[in-house]
Amino acid sequence: MTTLLTGKSVSYWIDSTHTAAFQPLDQTVTVDVAIVGGGIAGLTTALLLKQAGKTVAVLESEQIAQGASGHTTAKITTLHQLIYADLIKDLGEDKARLYAASNQAALEKIIHLIQAESIDCDFSHQDAYTFAESADQLGAIKDEVDAALRLGLPASFVQQTHLPFPIAGAIKFEHQAQFHVRKYLLHLAHKIVGDGSYVFEQTRVHTASEGDPCCVKTERGEIQAQNVVVTTNLPILDQGLFFAKTFPKRSYIVGARISSERAPAGMFIGAGEGYRSIRTTPYEDGQLLLIGGEGHKVGSRSDTELAYQALEEYGRQRFNIDTFDYRWSSQDVVSFDKLPYIGKLTPINHRIFVATGFSLWGMTNSMVAAMILTDAILGRPNPWASLYDATRATPFLTRTSLEENLDVGRHWLGDRITALQKSSLAEVGKGEGAILTVDGNQIAVYRDPEGKLEIVSATCSHLGCIVNWNSAEKSWDCPCHGARFTTAGKVVCGPAVHDLEQQPS
Ligand SMILES: Cc1cc2nc3c(=O)[nH]c(=O)nc-3n(C[C@H](O)[C@H](O)[C@H](O)COP(=O)(O)OP(=O)(O)OC[C@H]3O[C@@H](n4cnc5c(N)ncnc54)[C@H](O)[C@@H]3O)c2cc1C
Ligand code: FES
C-alpha cells in the first residue's frame, strides 16, 4: 500500500538545535593534532586530546555533528543488539571480554563527562532491551544473556517490557543511557575551541601525508600537525583499504509525538535483520517516539520512500500513531568482523590514525576510539588497543566480506553495462533521477520539480563505480563504498573527496 509520507524530512536532533557556524579555515595553522571529520568520533577525540594538553584542529567538510552522528538514534549502551555470543564464538572469550569492558568504560566516561561538564543534553538513564517477537528467536536471546553474564555485563532475561505489544522474550541491560546527541556534541565543540585549538567547518580535506610534521591539504589551505586522526566515518584515505574491510549501511528513522503516559520506558531493538529500533526523547509537553530500521547497503535500493512507509506502518500498527512529525536517514560503516578499526592507518604509518567501522554502535565505540587514540598519541599503553588494531589481519575470506566485495566488483563492471534505466532525457520526469548513456559515457540526470535538468557524470569520483538514484533523499549514492552526492554532484558523504564531474545539458 502506498501512503503519502508525513512529517518533516530532517533529523529531530538537527531541527531542535542551532547550527554551530564555526568559520572555515582561512590561515595556515600549526597544531599538535589535526582531526579530519567533525562527528562524534572526531569531536570526542579532539576534546580528550585537548584535556590531555594537546592543541587540536578539527576539520569538517560541511557542518559538525550533521553526518551519521546528527542522524543517529543516540542510545548509549553496551547492548549492541546481539553481539557477545558471536564474539565469543568467533574471537574467543578474552577478546569478547575486552569489547565488553571497553564499551562499558566508554558508557561510564560519557556519563561522567556529561555530569562533570553539566551538559544540558536531555540525558537520562534507561534500561536497554533486545527483544524477540517470535519464539524462533528466543534461542539467540538466551545465548546472548549467557554470553553477556559471562563477560560481566548487567544482563537478564525478561518476558515483560513497557512495549505496548507482546514479545516472546528479551535480553535486558540495566543502567544504560540516552541523550540528545547534538546538544552534547555542540557543547563538546565549544570546549575544544580556544588556547591554540580550533574547529573549522566548510573545510573539506583532500589528502594527508605523514612527515615531521604531517601535512593536511584542504580545499582552503594546509594544516601542519605532529599527528593526524581521520574520523570521516569511512576514512577518506584509501591506503588502509578500509573500504574493502567494511560496507556502508543506510537506515531510516521516523518520529511521532506521543503522550508521556503512552511512551514506553526503555530503549529497544528487535533481534534479527528486519529489526526495529525504538526509543523516546522529551518533546514539547510529551515525548517523541523514534522508530528506526529498514537498513540496507548504501546504493542498493532506489525506492527509499518505501523504507519510511514501512516504519510508519509499524508505528500505526504497534503504537496506534496517526501522524508522524519527522523522518530522516543516515549511514554507518559496518565492519566484517564486528569490531571497529581504531589505530594506525597502515603498518608503516606512525602518525596518522583512523577510527571507523562502528557498525551502528558508535556512541560508545567512538568514545572507545577517543580513549585509545589519545593514549596512542600520548605514548601511553591502552588495554584495548590491540583488539581494535586498525592494521589487524582482516577477514577478507568471511562469507559476508566475499559477498560484499564481489558485489562491489559486480557494480563496478555490471552497472556500466546494465544500468540503463532511461534511454533519453525526455523520459526523466519531474523530481526524478536516472542514469543515461550518451556517447558511451554514463551520466546522472535529475529533473527538478520546475523541469530544470542537472546533469553530472555517473562515475563515482572515489574508485569509479556507477552511482545509483536515491529517491527519498534526492541524491546519487554509490553502491560500492557508500559515497553520496547531491543532484548537482557535490560530495555529501565520503570516502569520495571530489565532486562528480559536471556534464553539458
Ligand atoms: C540510523 C542510525 C541509527 C543509529 N543509532 C545508534 C544508536 O542508537 N547508538 C549507537 O551507539 N550508535 C548508533 N548509530 C551509529 C552512530 O550514529 C555512528 O556510529 C556514529 O555517529 C559515527 O560517527 P562518526 O564520527 O564516525 O561519523 P560522522 O558522524 O558521519 O562524522 C564524520 C564527519 O566527517 C566529515 N567528513 C567526511 N569527509 C570529510 C572530508 N574529506 N574532510 C573533512 N570532513 C569530512 C563528515 O561531514 C562528517 O561530519 C546509528 C547510526 C545510524 C545511521
Ligand atoms: S564510494 Fe568507492 S567507488 Fe564510489
Side-chain angles (χ1 to χ4, degrees), residues 37 39-41 60-61 68-69 72-75 205 233 332 360-363:
I40 192 167
E60 165 56 46
S61 58
S69 306
T72 173
T73 326
K75 300 172 180 171
V205 172
N233 205 223
D332 199 19
L360 285 98
W361 295 107
M363 298 297 104

Side-chain angles (χ1 to χ4, degrees), residues 36-42 59-77 80 203-206 231-233 236 249 251-253 277 328-332 355 358-366 492-494 496-497:
V36 186
I40 192 167
L59 298 154
E60 165 56 46
S61 58
E62 304 286 332
Q63 281 167 322
I64 58 158
Q66 294 207 358
S69 306
H71 292 82
T72 173
T73 326
K75 300 172 180 171
I76 318 166
T77 177
H80 294 175
T203 303
R204 183 169 297 280
V205 172
H206 287 164
T231 51
T232 50
N233 205 223
I236 53 160
K249 185 171 179 182
S251 50
Y252 300 77
I253 296 176
S277 176
W328 70 86
S329 75
S330 191
Q331 64 198 50
D332 199 19
F358 299 145
S359 305
L360 285 98
W361 295 107
M363 298 297 104
T364 51
N365 272 318
S366 60
V492 180
C493 272
V497 293

